[in-house]
Amino acid sequence: MNNYKWFFIIWIIILPGFVLAQANLKIENKRVVIGETLNYKATWGFLTIGSGTTRIDTNIYQIGSNNCYKIDVTGQTNGLAKIFYVRDKWVSYIDTATITTHQSFRSIREGRHALDEQVRFDHPNKKAEVKVYDKKTKSYILKKVYDTPDNIRDVVAGFLAFRLVNLSKCEAGEVFTVNGFNEDESYRIDVTYLGKEYIKTDNGLVLCHKVKPTIPNNKQFDGKDAIVVWLSADEAQIVVRIRAKMFVGNIYIELKK
């Protein structure tokens, strides 16, 4: 995978598995804003290399007997980085009460690689049924059924759940544990709360919560502590900036005006 293609993964905090579960996230207050749309840009040096959007649908959807938020996440390369073609989209249906995922879709278009996938989560039986689109049959076929932990979330729901944690009650050095797996490989990520910090943005100085996820070893990022995330220190706790130290230099993901 070329380095440009990581920008859209970075701005959802680099949780590189299709499902995950938070072991000790304490969701104290539901602050989901129906209709919220957030736009981001990715820069590398003086170059804008990508953009991304998250949108919470204005409607509430029913999956089985469960009321769900529908969240769309898109990421694409822009500018000179268009030569590394990326047009990716995730759609997640997330339980309004538990912030767990009931159904998710992803459409991946990266260069010549294309993937359309849907996942249905069976919470009572702790299973995730993954299907992929087959061009020959023009239908979704079963790929695999995975065993899952309790309260399973895909990456979109996992990030939403983290936004709903009251970070104002956290102390510097406090660690949140994220457990999950990518296909047959399990992993653990620790997210450390670093305290509050003012950062300069296009909208002026913004007081933010600063967190640092410890990511697994990989060939793209410069060390386990390569990612730092700033979330607004208000009730919304919107991601304002992400910095990713990569072997080719720093990439920044920033909230647009």
Side-chain angles (χ1 to χ4, degrees):
M1 177 181 291
N2 66 71
N3 291 310
Y4 291 112
K5 290 162 66 173
W6 280 89
F7 82 87
F8 56 89
I9 302 175
I10 295 169
W11 66 272
I12 54 174
I13 303 194
I14 318 300
L15 298 178
F18 80 89
V19 289
L20 55 96
Q22 282 67 28
N24 63 343
L25 292 187
K26 298 177 181 179
I27 301 174
E28 299 180 3
N29 183 26
K30 300 289 170 50
R31 303 185 298 273
V32 178
V33 179
I34 299 297
E36 178 191 77
T37 300
L38 303 174
N39 297 304
Y40 293 86
K41 64 179 179 180
T43 58
W44 178 43
F46 295 105
L47 299 176
T48 297
I49 63 171
S51 60
T53 299
T54 66
R55 182 177 185 274
I56 303 175
D57 200 287
T58 55
N59 297 313
I60 298 296
Y61 293 80
Q62 194 163 29
I63 303 298
S65 60
N66 307 289
N67 292 326
C68 294
Y69 302 114
K70 177 177 177 283
I71 301 183
D72 294 84
V73 179
T74 60
Q76 63 183 35
T77 47
N78 299 121
L80 293 176
K82 279 186 177 180
I83 62 174
F84 304 104
Y85 181 85
V86 174
R87 293 291 186 277
D88 290 355
K89 182 176 181 178
W90 295 263
V91 179
S92 295
Y93 292 87
I94 300 169
D95 196 289
T96 59
T98 62
I99 314 299
T100 55
T101 309
H102 290 290
Q103 191 169 347
S104 67
F105 301 85
R106 62 173 177 151
S107 172
I108 306 298
R109 299 293 183 271
E110 299 174 356
R112 296 181 179 180
H113 174 64
L115 172 68
D116 291 289
E117 180 182 80
Q118 61 178 220
V119 184
R120 291 183 180 273
F121 298 92
D122 181 351
H123 291 277
N125 295 309
K126 300 180 182 180
K127 302 289 183 181
E129 180 187 79
V130 180
K131 292 183 177 181
V132 294
Y133 185 77
D134 183 87
K135 290 183 179 179
K136 294 181 180 179
T137 62
K138 296 183 179 181
S139 62
Y140 282 88
I141 60 173
L142 181 65
K143 177 183 177 183
K144 189 172 181 179
V145 177
Y146 293 90
D147 294 321
T148 66
D150 289 323
N151 299 319
I152 198 67
R153 299 179 173 101
D154 72 335
V155 292
V156 178
F159 185 51
L160 178 63
F162 189 80
R163 280 186 61 191
L164 297 177
V165 174
N166 190 347
L167 295 176
S168 295
K169 293 186 177 181
C170 297
E171 297 182 359
E174 188 170 346
V175 178
F176 302 92
T177 300
V178 177
N179 297 311
F181 61 89
N182 181 16
E183 296 186 350
D184 295 325
E185 183 178 355
S186 62
Y187 62 83
R188 167 179 170 149
I189 296 175
D190 291 331
V191 180
T192 304
Y193 180 71
L194 301 178
K196 292 182 180 180
E197 178 178 288
Y198 279 98
I199 63 171
K200 187 177 181 180
T201 72
D202 293 340
N203 298 311
L205 287 177
V206 178
L207 180 62
C208 293
H209 298 291
K210 186 178 180 181
V211 300
K212 179 185 68 176
T214 301
I215 62 174
N217 287 324
N218 59 79
K219 297 179 181 179
Q220 280 74 34
F221 299 101
D222 188 7
K224 293 183 177 181
D225 299 324
I227 308 298
V228 178
V229 183
W230 289 265
L231 302 96
S232 60
D234 54 16
E235 185 173 314
Q237 291 187 174
I238 294 170
V239 170
V240 176
R241 176 181 296 164
I242 299 175
R243 185 194 68 208
K245 293 174 60 179
M246 306 181 75
F247 292 109
V248 295
N250 290 342
I251 288 181
Y252 286 87
I253 311 297
E254 296 190 87
L255 183 67
K256 296 170 65 176
K257 286 185 178 180

